[in-house]
Amino acid sequence: MKSDNSTSGPVERLVDRVKAGRGGAMTDEVGVITGDLTVATTLQPDGRAAVAVQYTDADEWYTLTGSPTPLPHPDGLRQVHDTVLDAIKAGGGAEVPT
């Protein structure tokens, strides 16, 4: 499974850093987290996208509320990932958009 944003071969995991907007991102485990975050969107075997967030450079990963989510189309992992990044940048207790 890929763990980067390279363009060779099928992408199964996308990882990017983002600064959360005011109100941060809502997680299932600890509620809202804020500040500099790392977001990982991973294609699951059932075809859905799992979204996890962490404080950048921390060890713990948290489930972004609303994850996992269906892909909008079979090649839609990038679309889900980019939509999640935009939502977190906007803040307001961002969840996986539906």
Side-chain angles (χ1 to χ4, degrees):
M1 186 182 302
K2 291 194 177 300
S3 60
D4 60 25
N5 293 332
S6 67
T7 57
S8 61
V11 175
E12 296 181 0
R13 185 169 192 245
L14 300 169
V15 179
D16 281 294
R17 292 182 177 190
V18 64
K19 182 162 184 77
R22 172 172 275 200
M26 181 64 68
T27 69
D28 290 350
E29 296 86 359
V30 295
V32 172
I33 61 174
T34 60
D36 294 323
L37 306 176
T38 300
V39 179
T41 306
T42 306
L43 182 61
Q44 296 185 307
D46 66 2
R48 296 184 299 165
V51 182
V53 305
Q54 70 174 175
Y55 291 105
T56 297
D57 297 325
D59 292 330
E60 299 84 15
W61 285 92
Y62 306 110
T63 303
L64 188 65
T65 299
S67 174
T69 188
L71 295 181
H73 51 80
D75 295 325
L77 191 66
R78 168 59 66 188
Q79 182 179 345
V80 169
H81 185 71
D82 289 346
T83 301
V84 166
L85 292 175
D86 290 343
I88 293 174
K89 288 176 190 174
E95 299 181 3
V96 175
T98 56

